[in-house]
Amino acid sequence: MRMYERSDTMLELRNIHKKFGELEVLKGVDIAVEKGDIVVILGPSGSGKTTLLRCINFLERADEGSLHFDEIQTDFSKASKKDINAVRKKSAFVFQNYGLFDNKTVLDNVTEGLIIGRKVPKKEAIETAIRALEKVGLSDRVAYYPSQLSGGQQQRVGIARALAVNPDVILFDEPTSALDPELVGEVLQVIRKLAEEGTTMVVVTHEMTFAKEVANRVIFMDQGVIVEEGPPEDIFGNPKEARTREFLQRILVRV
Amino acid sequence: MRMYERSDTMLELRNIHKKFGELEVLKGVDIAVEKGDIVVILGPSGSGKTTLLRCINFLERADEGSLHFDEIQTDFSKASKKDINAVRKKSAFVFQNYGLFDNKTVLDNVTEGLIIGRKVPKKEAIETAIRALEKVGLSDRVAYYPSQLSGGQQQRVGIARALAVNPDVILFDEPTSALDPELVGEVLQVIRKLAEEGTTMVVVTHEMTFAKEVANRVIFMDQGVIVEEGPPEDIFGNPKEARTREFLQRILVRV
Amino acid sequence: MNRPFDITYIWKSVPEILSGLGVTLQFLIGTIVIGGILGFLATWARLSGPKWLRAIVHSYIWIIRCTPSIVMMFLVFYGLPELLLGVFDIDINSWNRLYFVIIALSLLFSAPCSEIMRSAYLAVAKVQREAALSIGLTEAQAFRRIVLPQALVSALPNLGNSFILLMKEGALAYTIGIVDIMGKGQLIIARNFGGYSIETYIALAAIYWLLTLAIEKAFKLAEDKLSAGKQPLRAA
Amino acid sequence: MTIDLAYVQEILFLVLKGIPTTLRLTFIPLLIALPFAFLIAVARQRNIKILARVSQIYVSFIRGTPLIVQILVMYSLFPSLLNVLVRSQGLDYDVFGINPIYYAYIVFTLNTIAILSEVFRSALETVDKRQLEAALSIGLLPVQAYSRIVIPQALVAATPNLCNSTVNLLKSTSLAFLMSVQDITAIAKTEAAFGYNYLESYLVIFIVYIVLCSLVQVFFQLLEQRLSLYKRGRTVTKKTVMEPEYYEDVRKERYHAGIEEYS
Amino acid sequence: ETTSEATSSSAAETVEVTTVTVAHTQSSAPMNYVDENGESTGYEVSVLKAIDELLPQYEFEYVPTSDEDLLIGIESGKYDVGTKGAWYTEERAQKFIFPENYIGASSIGVLIRSEDAAEITDLESFAAAGKSLVPISPNNAQYNVIQAFNDEHPDTPIELTAADVFEIADAYTWLLEGRYDGYFAVKTAYEVNVLAEGAPYSQYKDDFSYFVYEALPTWPLFNKEQQELADAYDEAFLQLEEDGTIDDLMIEFLGENTFQYVKE
Ligand SMILES: Nc1ncnc2c1ncn2[C@@H]1O[C@H](COP(=O)(O)OP(=O)(O)OP(=O)(O)O)[C@@H](O)[C@H]1O
Ligand SMILES: Nc1ncnc2c1ncn2[C@@H]1O[C@H](COP(=O)(O)OP(=O)(O)OP(=O)(O)O)[C@@H](O)[C@H]1O
Ligand SMILES: [Mg+2]
Ligand SMILES: [Mg+2]
């Protein structure tokens, strides 16, 4: 377990509520993430993990709650266009379903955020993009379209796309679900290295090994609330809540 | 490790070749699967696993090779519409990307293959569907559309949809990638039970635990060819090929 | 059949018909530009404008789609100058009639055009826009770079329909005395007291078909370019 | 310039008689065209060799030639040809007695097929290939996969364009007057000619088209709402979550049959 | 006197010149049409041109357009006067000023097959034989003639079909193949399409026969405000009739003076 130097809070959510129709998916969630932290969110299917990440990036508008993101401080009900754009500029999202641009090649998928979003000169953007693609082992697929890639390849392009824009915060939604164990290990290395360089990361994952090895804080969610949180050794070694224990038990038995 | 009574060959592929443009993705693959077998296919990302499954179901037309499926015996280059329909009627596919019908509710996704594909009376179909959905823990989401489901929920609907039609062969493409370990365990139970009832299954997965616990034969693929195959205890315990060892090593270190 | 047919007349009528080509192209291009912009603004307003604006735009599209083109032509040709004169004291009676044709056609074109754009926009998967936003593109950039090119793929065939229909709207121009290629053809036939009408119409049809083929070719190129990376819906 | 309201009323009543003709001229070609247009769209989309090529030429030709020319061919030349044929067969059929509305049907149908085939082609572009694959994989035949999965999804994008085409067709049926068919425009124009009450006539035509086109638009709007339900995802209420009717029915019956194994 | 002023060109500069917008239909040869060079011409237009020459206080500007636009335009004042081969009705007289003198006469003749010529010599015999007529546009004077005929002969009406006729010579073929029995044709059209040397239907000239029924007077229509202009027209027209200009123009465009067929 590593401890990175902590400066101050990078990302803080207070009392997030989100309903879809009558269904309350997030029921008052609080999270605070320090700069350089790797926070892993665990929880059963449908517990609201993806919705939470989407709210941070304003892809979903939370009904209630406040957000503090670097210098930006706002209320979800009031957030202005400017705030939203600022948050998005400083963060990147790796989608559970990859979400690649269907009409762009692998390379263009990665350079898009650089050239258009951040006005990086084209040549430099391509270099950065290729470096990011190399990190995930895909530099031989630059000219392919997403529809010509295997599941794991698409997922890795999604990761490379997020890395390339060098954001302050990366939100990962199950970034290794389609990857074979070899690649999971590689992505894990990449994430660790990013953290060392000061990038803050929130990772939703079902891979316990991944969680154990990479997180410096683990949050366990169920049914729209945070059941328990703490350093991984506490959560995995000595969970306090019955629900957490139950969830972990089944895994530990199997692994 | 279980051994089920074996009657005869359920599915046999000979010398499958498949090119996308210049890229040869399958370079002569042979597989034979007995009735009631659970064959697990392992392999790094991009090795051709998905393509192989797609060829079996004629979603991709192999360039070369022959297929033997129950009584159907045909050549890929020659397969008639009738053969193709027959193969599809007897099999089901669980997609890596879930592939739910966007315009149908969860329940309708599952009943579709029964009512329309197999002319099961509506009431009976609904009962079957609900039973299948209960097996994957989703009977409370029957009226939702896929766009309203979490990733794991979508994946489970995909599984339920395949189970419901009660096919002779189910082709699973990473059926647990979006599932938390609790659910992985449950799906594993379901698959085991199906095998006992005589359903043949081919499972592509990256979950080694899953492979170890459920397979009675493991195939390791790389770069479009089968590198090694055998019972799981051989493959995991005593791999013969260097490539297999290398692949497994990294995992075993981590798990 | 005892129908006289003089094949050489087809050739003979071509030069005069072609002298109307300039008018046809002018109102075609003018309408596509102005009507296209109007349609685009209407789409934008309907999809992301404030509620009151959406209601207004919706009614606008609704009414325009109900309006027969001849009625629109007269509303613009007679109503608009009155309106501008009465309200703003601007006299546009001396304008070139072609402008009135372009205005009338632009209004008529804007409504279906906006519906084409709306349906195409809605057909692009939500996640495409989201992904673009998540890597720091603004809404406008996400739209222009990611959503629009994909939406165009499905909009193009419908736009093609509209452009071709528009090109043939010469009859409308003819009602206020603007003579495009169709008008030229009719003048020729009238001068011949109906004689050689089949020959003249064959020449007309051939010219229109050639223009259509050119439009189709351009659309095909655009479609091929924009649908890069898209997997056609083809059963294996 | 004044509008004579009494006269407007008078024409309006006369014009109402033309509505059935206008509706027939719109909906008969539309209904006939739908399946053919769809077949052409599929053929072109899937690039079925000869069929795709032939349909492409057809679409281009029909779209590319002025309607008035097609009317000339269909109304003027075609019956003469037919007459010669009938005579040469020694038949005694009065070709010229055929109601010209049939020629109008043919012209409008041919045009509608061409236009709608492009509407459908573009709509098919919007459906993800995986949807078709999923349908095939659970044992639906290609026809079933199209009719149950692909078409309903394609229709969402097609509806606004179908509405455009229908409204356009409705308005362009007035050209049938060239073939002496008495639709609403024909009646209004004939009335207007006597006293030169063109303003009143066009006002009446406008009113009638507003009503007819509005009905068409309402229909397509409702259709679009219904078809795109799945996209917006209907609002989830307690009721839809907890007790969708069909689910409840099955549960109840199971309960009564004493086989309630799941609670 | 105005007339003397108008004719003497020396007085022209003392008169303030008013521009008059004259609308005319663009595709109703021989009465009004546009020639190869885009110039307005035809019998009625030519008469108006001649009148313009007699009226120094007016300067005529010609606008070729459609029937509908012409009527709406004159009524609304966009055009001061227009000519489209319009015939007189009470209803129309309420909307427009009809001058005292009609400008021309549209001769209505019927083209029939020669084989019927013995039996049919006028509309009455045509009607009695139960013959059918090629559809007519309600915009056309001929439509009115048949309506009037039917009103007078309620027992043997001629079947009258309205159609938005587009100008095509196919009616000749229709007669030959028996689709219809009679075609209301302007005489000039018949001459140009059938009788003339090298005409498209000249090889069938023996199969047709033509009789004139009557000529229907046609008027230019003036905007309600343009009484003064209408008066000036009347005066000038009489002058032209006197000096033979009208007759010359009739011969030039219509082949004969059709006023002779006008029934009072
Ligand atoms: N648009 C929507 N309308 C209605 N319900 C929705 C919608 N989106 C999500 N939900 C519901 O919200 C709940 C939480 O979804 P979410 O995607 O956040 O789960 P998750 O924790 O990411 O699960 P998984 O691990 O399976 O991806 C689910 O029960 C889902 O059905
Ligand atoms: N339509 C296509 N055109 C070109 N190349 C393709 C196409 N589809 C797949 N490929 C290539 O084929 C190879 C095998 O793909 P496949 O999807 O079978 O891999 P996989 O073994 O399933 O990988 P993963 O575990 O990542 O899902 C990949 O390298 C991919 O880039
Ligand atoms: Mg999720
Ligand atoms: Mg795969």
Side-chain angles (χ1 to χ4, degrees):
Chain A
M1 194 30 13
R2 264 146 269 85
M3 291 296 269
Y4 306 106
E5 44 185 347
R6 299 195 165 180
S7 47
D8 50 359
T9 308
M10 183 69 210
L11 172 67
E12 195 174 346
L13 299 165
R14 288 259 153 268
N15 195 31
I16 308 295
H17 284 263
K18 174 70 192 171
K19 272 188 174 183
F20 289 114
E22 305 238 319
L23 186 75
E24 189 158 24
V25 174
L26 297 178
K27 302 168 184 162
V29 175
D30 302 290
I31 292 185
V33 186
E34 312 275 307
K35 191 163 264 164
D37 256 7
I38 306 181
V39 174
V40 162
I41 302 180
L42 300 179
S45 172
S47 54
K49 308 180 295 294
T50 298
T51 308
L52 180 64
L53 288 197
R54 286 171 61 85
C55 284
I56 298 178
N57 218 15
F58 288 96
L59 295 176
E60 213 78 68
R61 185 70 87 118
D63 302 322
E64 217 179 293
S66 66
L67 171 77
H68 174 183
F69 190 112
D70 214 359
E71 317 84 83
I72 305 143
Q73 170 75 54
T74 182
D75 234 57
F76 277 105
S77 51
K78 286 179 212 139
S80 69
K81 270 219 173 96
K82 223 179 110 242
D83 292 335
I84 296 177
N85 281 338
V87 167
R88 286 183 183 151
K89 272 267 183 320
K90 284 166 181 276
S91 62
F93 200 110
V94 178
F95 291 82
Q96 188 167 10
N97 271 315
Y98 327 143
L100 300 185
F101 306 133
D102 294 338
N103 60 331
K104 303 224 170 258
T105 61
V106 166
L107 187 65
D108 291 343
N109 258 281
V110 183
T111 56
E112 192 69 17
L114 294 166
I115 299 176
I116 307 303
R118 282 166 180 74
K119 311 282 175 241
V120 176
K122 190 160 173 200
K123 216 180 114 236
E124 202 184 315
I126 293 179
E127 277 169 16
T128 314
I130 290 180
R131 229 173 300 127
L133 285 167
E134 270 164 359
K135 277 188 196 154
V136 295
L138 266 183
S139 51
D140 60 333
R141 284 287 187 276
V142 284
Y144 277 57
Y145 284 100
S147 62
Q148 301 172 311
L149 297 180
S150 79
Q153 288 164 344
Q154 288 186 46
Q155 188 159 51
R156 285 179 281 157
V157 176
I159 296 173
R161 184 172 67 180
L163 301 184
V165 294
N166 192 27
D168 296 337
V169 176
I170 308 183
L171 309 167
F172 289 97
D173 197 0
E174 307 198 17
T176 58
S177 62
L179 301 184
D180 61 78
E182 271 185 321
L183 283 169
V184 172
E186 279 170 31
V187 170
L188 196 140
Q189 294 298 340
V190 171
I191 290 184
R192 258 193 211 134
K193 189 122 176 296
L194 282 175
E196 273 162 28
E197 290 162 8
T199 309
T200 310
M201 279 166 284
V202 181
V203 187
V204 168
T205 186
H206 291 315
E207 294 247 0
M208 295 306 143
T209 354
F210 192 97
K212 268 191 221 166
E213 297 208 8
V214 84
N216 48 7
R217 204 140 52 83
V218 174
I219 294 176
F220 178 69
M221 271 184 81
D222 192 17
Q223 309 217 9
V225 293
I226 293 184
V227 176
E228 189 167 354
E229 61 172 303
E233 46 284 6
D234 288 2
I235 299 282
F236 290 109
N238 182 21
K240 284 189 196 66
E241 302 292 325
R243 180 69 187 94
T244 321
R245 266 201 299 279
E246 189 196 355
F247 183 79
L248 293 173
Q249 206 129 38
R250 309 225 198 153
I251 312 155
L252 300 175
V253 168
R254 285 181 45 246
V255 175
Chain B
M1 191 34 8
R2 266 145 267 88
M3 291 296 270
Y4 306 105
E5 45 185 347
R6 299 196 164 178
S7 47
D8 50 0
T9 307
M10 181 70 209
L11 172 68
E12 194 174 347
L13 300 165
R14 287 261 153 267
N15 194 31
I16 307 296
H17 285 263
K18 174 70 192 171
K19 273 189 174 181
F20 289 113
E22 300 265 295
L23 185 77
E24 189 158 25
V25 173
L26 296 178
K27 303 169 184 161
V29 175
D30 301 291
I31 291 184
V33 186
E34 311 276 307
K35 192 163 264 165
D37 257 6
I38 306 182
V39 174
V40 162
I41 303 181
L42 300 179
S45 171
S47 55
K49 307 179 295 295
T50 299
T51 309
L52 180 63
L53 288 198
R54 288 169 59 83
C55 285
I56 298 178
N57 217 16
F58 288 95
L59 294 177
E60 214 77 70
R61 183 73 86 120
D63 303 322
E64 217 178 292
S66 66
L67 170 76
H68 174 183
F69 190 115
D70 214 0
E71 317 86 80
I72 306 143
Q73 170 76 54
T74 181
D75 234 56
F76 278 105
S77 50
K78 285 179 212 136
S80 69
K81 274 219 172 96
K82 221 178 112 244
D83 292 336
I84 296 178
N85 284 337
V87 167
R88 287 184 183 148
K89 272 266 185 321
K90 285 167 179 277
S91 62
F93 201 111
V94 178
F95 292 84
Q96 188 166 9
N97 272 312
Y98 326 143
L100 300 187
F101 306 132
D102 294 337
N103 60 329
K104 303 224 170 256
T105 60
V106 166
L107 187 65
D108 292 343
N109 258 281
V110 182
T111 55
E112 191 69 16
L114 294 165
I115 300 176
I116 307 303
R118 282 165 181 76
K119 311 281 175 242
V120 176
K122 188 158 175 203
K123 218 184 105 223
E124 201 183 315
I126 293 179
E127 282 194 34
T128 314
I130 289 175
R131 227 173 298 127
L133 285 167
E134 274 164 356
K135 277 188 196 153
V136 294
L138 267 183
S139 54
D140 60 333
R141 285 288 187 277
V142 285
Y144 277 56
Y145 284 103
S147 63
Q148 301 172 307
L149 297 179
S150 80
Q153 288 165 344
Q154 289 185 45
Q155 188 159 51
R156 285 179 281 156
V157 177
I159 296 173
R161 184 173 67 180
L163 300 185
V165 294
N166 192 26
D168 295 337
V169 177
I170 308 184
L171 308 167
F172 289 97
D173 197 358
E174 308 198 15
T176 58
S177 63
L179 301 184
D180 61 77
E182 271 184 321
L183 284 168
V184 172
E186 280 170 31
V187 169
L188 195 141
Q189 294 299 340
V190 171
I191 291 184
R192 258 193 211 134
K193 191 126 175 293
L194 282 174
E196 273 163 26
E197 290 162 7
T199 309
T200 311
M201 280 166 283
V202 181
V203 187
V204 168
T205 186
H206 290 315
E207 294 245 2
M208 295 307 142
T209 354
F210 192 97
K212 268 191 220 164
E213 298 209 7
V214 84
N216 48 8
R217 204 141 53 83
V218 174
I219 293 176
F220 178 68
M221 272 184 80
D222 191 18
Q223 310 216 8
V225 293
I226 294 184
V227 176
E228 190 166 356
E229 61 173 302
E233 46 285 6
D234 288 4
I235 299 282
F236 290 108
N238 182 23
K240 285 189 195 68
E241 302 293 324
R243 181 69 187 93
T244 321
R245 268 201 298 280
E246 189 196 354
F247 183 79
L248 293 172
Q249 207 128 38
R250 310 226 197 153
I251 311 154
L252 300 176
V253 168
R254 286 182 44 248
V255 175
Chain C
M1 276 195 292
N2 31 25
R3 184 185 298 279
F5 186 77
D6 181 359
I7 203 162
T8 60
Y9 203 88
I10 298 177
W11 258 127
K12 282 191 217 145
S13 56
V14 166
E16 191 178 341
I17 293 177
L18 279 184
S19 66
L21 188 60
V23 170
T24 299
L25 292 182
Q26 278 176 53
F27 80 67
L28 181 62
I29 293 167
T31 304
I32 287 171
V33 172
I34 298 172
I37 291 172
L38 270 179
F40 181 83
L41 292 178
T43 315
W44 172 79
R46 254 197 99 177
L47 289 172
S48 55
K51 229 183 181 138
W52 59 269
L53 187 62
R54 260 186 263 180
I56 292 177
V57 170
H58 190 184
S59 330
Y60 167 83
I61 293 173
W62 185 288
I63 292 291
I64 297 265
R65 290 215 283 187
C66 291
T67 312
S69 30
I70 181 102
V71 171
M72 177 62 80
M73 187 69 250
F74 284 131
L75 280 176
V76 169
F77 193 48
Y78 289 100
L80 191 64
E82 296 267 307
L83 186 77
L84 289 184
L85 198 61
V87 182
F88 301 106
D89 205 25
I90 305 171
D91 185 6
I92 59 166
N93 269 306
S94 55
W95 269 14
N96 185 334
R97 285 161 182 252
L98 190 59
Y99 296 160
F100 292 98
V101 175
I102 293 176
I103 294 173
L105 286 177
S106 294
L107 292 172
L108 285 170
F109 180 64
S110 65
C113 179
S114 140
E115 285 294 281
I116 290 171
M117 294 180 185
R118 184 175 68 85
S119 66
Y121 175 85
L122 292 177
V124 178
K126 241 173 56 186
V127 70
Q128 297 288 320
R129 171 181 154 267
E130 292 173 350
L133 296 178
S134 80
I135 53 164
L137 269 57
T138 62
E139 288 278 1
Q141 289 169 332
F143 175 75
R144 211 178 57 240
R145 310 266 320 166
I146 307 299
V147 179
L148 183 65
Q150 294 184 52
L152 270 180
V153 176
S154 65
L156 280 177
N158 293 308
L159 287 176
N161 267 344
S162 298
F163 284 17
I164 291 166
L165 281 181
L166 191 60
M167 178 182 68
K168 296 189 289 176
E169 281 287 7
L172 196 59
Y174 197 67
T175 54
I176 63 163
I178 292 289
V179 181
D180 70 332
I181 49 184
M182 170 64 80
K184 288 282 180 199
Q186 280 173 345
L187 290 184
I188 295 174
I189 293 168
R191 261 200 329 266
N192 290 326
F193 299 92
Y196 304 110
S197 53
I198 295 173
E199 293 84 342
T200 314
Y201 276 127
I202 287 175
L204 252 182
I207 291 169
Y208 271 115
W209 196 12
L210 282 176
L211 290 172
T212 301
L213 287 172
I215 293 179
E216 282 176 347
K217 183 79 193 164
F219 271 81
K220 177 87 174 59
L221 289 177
E223 224 180 297
D224 285 351
K225 190 161 178 334
L226 286 168
S227 54
K230 205 172 151 60
Q231 287 215 303
L233 190 68
R234 260 170 228 167
Chain D
M1 208 151 78
T2 50
I3 287 179
D4 181 350
L5 281 181
Y7 191 67
V8 167
Q9 209 174 15
E10 196 185 319
I11 306 184
L12 188 57
F13 276 111
L14 286 169
V15 163
L16 290 182
K17 288 199 204 104
I19 289 181
T21 306
T22 294
L23 292 181
R24 263 199 293 272
L25 283 172
T26 308
F27 291 103
I28 289 176
L30 189 67
L31 291 178
I32 300 176
L34 283 171
F36 290 104
F38 187 76
L39 284 181
I40 289 185
V42 173
R44 290 194 63 185
Q45 235 256 340
R46 296 179 57 176
N47 223 346
I48 299 172
K49 276 187 201 104
I50 306 165
L51 201 53
R53 191 86 197 119
V54 170
S55 351
Q56 191 189 347
I57 294 170
Y58 167 82
V59 169
S60 160
F61 180 75
I62 293 283
R63 287 200 300 181
T65 48
L67 205 53
I68 191 165
V69 176
Q70 293 166 22
I71 289 174
L72 170 78
V73 171
M74 200 33 82
Y75 173 63
S76 194
L77 306 189
F78 177 67
S80 307
L81 188 73
L82 206 60
N83 186 45
V84 172
L85 276 179
V86 167
R87 291 282 176 76
S88 71
Q89 295 299 306
L91 297 173
D92 185 28
Y93 179 74
D94 178 17
V95 170
F96 302 129
I98 296 174
N99 186 340
I101 199 167
Y102 291 106
Y103 302 128
Y105 290 152
I106 296 176
V107 171
F108 290 129
T109 303
L110 292 176
N111 274 279
T112 309
I113 289 175
I115 297 289
L116 291 192
S117 77
E118 288 292 280
V119 170
F120 286 136
R121 194 168 68 82
S122 83
L124 288 174
E125 295 271 2
T126 66
V127 181
D128 195 306
K129 179 180 166 242
R130 281 173 286 198
Q131 296 288 316
L132 175 63
E133 292 177 353
L136 296 175
S137 80
I138 54 161
L140 300 197
L141 300 172
V143 180
Q144 294 169 326
Y146 265 87
S147 67
R148 313 257 327 157
I149 308 297
V150 175
I151 296 176
Q153 292 187 29
L155 274 182
V156 177
T159 318
N161 298 305
L162 279 175
C163 182
N164 276 344
S165 308
T166 308
V167 167
N168 271 346
L169 174 61
L170 183 70
K171 292 193 283 183
S172 66
T173 53
S174 59
L175 283 171
F177 190 29
L178 286 169
M179 297 177 264
S180 78
V181 175
Q182 304 290 313
D183 73 319
I184 52 183
T185 313
I187 295 176
K189 275 188 172 174
T190 307
E191 276 316 300
F194 195 66
Y196 285 161
N197 302 82
Y198 278 93
L199 280 183
E200 287 83 355
S201 294
Y202 281 125
L203 183 64
V204 167
I205 291 177
F206 193 17
I207 294 169
V208 175
Y209 276 119
I210 283 189
V211 173
L212 295 182
C213 293
S214 290
L215 291 177
V216 171
Q217 292 197 59
V218 169
F219 169 78
F220 279 106
Q221 208 163 330
L222 292 177
L223 185 68
E224 189 186 348
Q225 268 167 26
R226 177 73 197 79
L227 287 169
S228 61
L229 200 61
Y230 74 87
K231 281 199 159 176
R232 284 168 291 121
R234 97 184 99 181
T235 348
V236 180
T237 60
K238 271 232 169 63
K239 186 151 179 298
T240 52
V241 178
M242 303 309 295
E243 39 195 312
E245 306 133 49
Y246 35 76
Y247 182 35
E248 261 321 283
D249 285 352
V250 171
R251 282 173 79 103
K252 261 187 220 140
E253 282 191 30
R254 269 207 239 166
Y255 180 79
H256 290 306
I259 52 161
E260 178 65 282
E261 24 186 332
Y262 321 84
S263 64
Chain E
E1 249 228 42
T2 31
T3 326
S4 59
E5 249 178 41
T7 41
S8 66
S9 53
S10 60
E13 60 264 25
T14 62
V15 186
E16 202 182 320
V17 176
T18 318
T19 305
V20 172
T21 318
V22 181
H24 68 86
T25 46
Q26 50 201 347
S27 45
S28 43
M31 289 301 197
N32 308 287
Y33 61 100
V34 177
D35 71 11
E36 297 82 339
N37 310 314
E39 288 297 319
S40 298
T41 182
Y43 166 74
E44 291 182 344
V45 171
S46 301
V47 172
L48 288 173
K49 281 184 174 170
I51 286 175
D52 185 17
E53 303 228 319
L54 295 182
L55 303 176
Q57 72 272 39
Y58 293 113
E59 164 85 26
F60 285 9
E61 233 172 47
Y62 299 89
V63 181
T65 188
S66 65
D67 285 284
E68 290 94 337
D69 176 53
L70 180 142
L71 294 168
I72 296 176
I74 299 171
E75 200 182 340
S76 74
K78 188 161 211 132
Y79 311 125
D80 302 310
V81 55
T83 171
K84 68 176 284 284
W87 74 97
Y88 182 90
T89 68
E90 290 292 331
E91 290 85 347
R92 293 176 183 183
Q94 284 167 18
K95 289 188 181 270
F96 308 101
I97 294 174
F98 281 77
E100 298 285 317
N101 299 290
Y102 44 81
I103 189 168
S106 179
S107 73
I108 315 281
V110 182
L111 190 72
I112 53 175
R113 286 183 294 271
S114 299
E115 63 200 54
D116 295 335
E119 185 191 353
I120 298 168
T121 51
D122 50 19
L123 270 193
E124 279 78 9
S125 51
F126 185 89
K131 297 291 186 184
S132 63
L133 261 188
V134 172
I136 307 170
S137 162
N139 242 329
N140 197 315
Q142 300 151 359
Y143 190 83
N144 189 240
V145 170
I146 299 295
Q147 263 185 339
F149 176 90
N150 285 347
D151 286 344
E152 284 167 31
H153 305 79
D155 305 329
T156 54
I158 296 174
E159 195 184 314
L160 178 59
T161 316
D164 214 356
V165 172
F166 51 113
E167 219 42 66
I168 50 169
D170 264 34
Y172 300 101
T173 311
W174 294 348
L175 280 197
L176 291 177
E177 67 192 10
R179 187 167 174 174
Y180 295 101
D181 307 312
Y183 172 41
F184 246 150
V186 182
K187 194 160 182 197
T188 330
Y190 165 59
E191 282 164 353
V192 170
N193 273 316
V194 182
L195 298 181
E197 194 70 25
Y201 284 85
S202 61
Q203 52 176 319
Y204 301 112
K205 72 170 144 240
D206 298 333
D207 297 329
F208 293 115
S209 139
Y210 186 84
F211 66 82
V212 173
Y213 172 63
E214 73 162 298
L216 207 63
T218 58
W219 271 267
L221 306 168
F222 290 83
N223 176 270
K224 276 284 187 197
E225 317 264 279
Q226 302 291 340
Q227 187 60 51
E228 209 172 312
L229 179 64
D231 294 342
Y233 157 87
D234 273 325
E235 227 163 307
F237 185 83
L238 289 177
Q239 201 177 332
L240 291 176
E241 206 168 22
E242 229 154 80
D243 67 16
T245 312
I246 296 292
D247 201 49
D248 291 348
L249 289 174
M250 282 258 180
I251 304 284
E252 181 185 345
F253 286 97
L254 311 176
E256 62 183 332
N257 188 326
T258 53
F259 285 163
Q260 58 178 307
Y261 303 119
V262 174
K263 294 177 182 168
E264 285 315 318

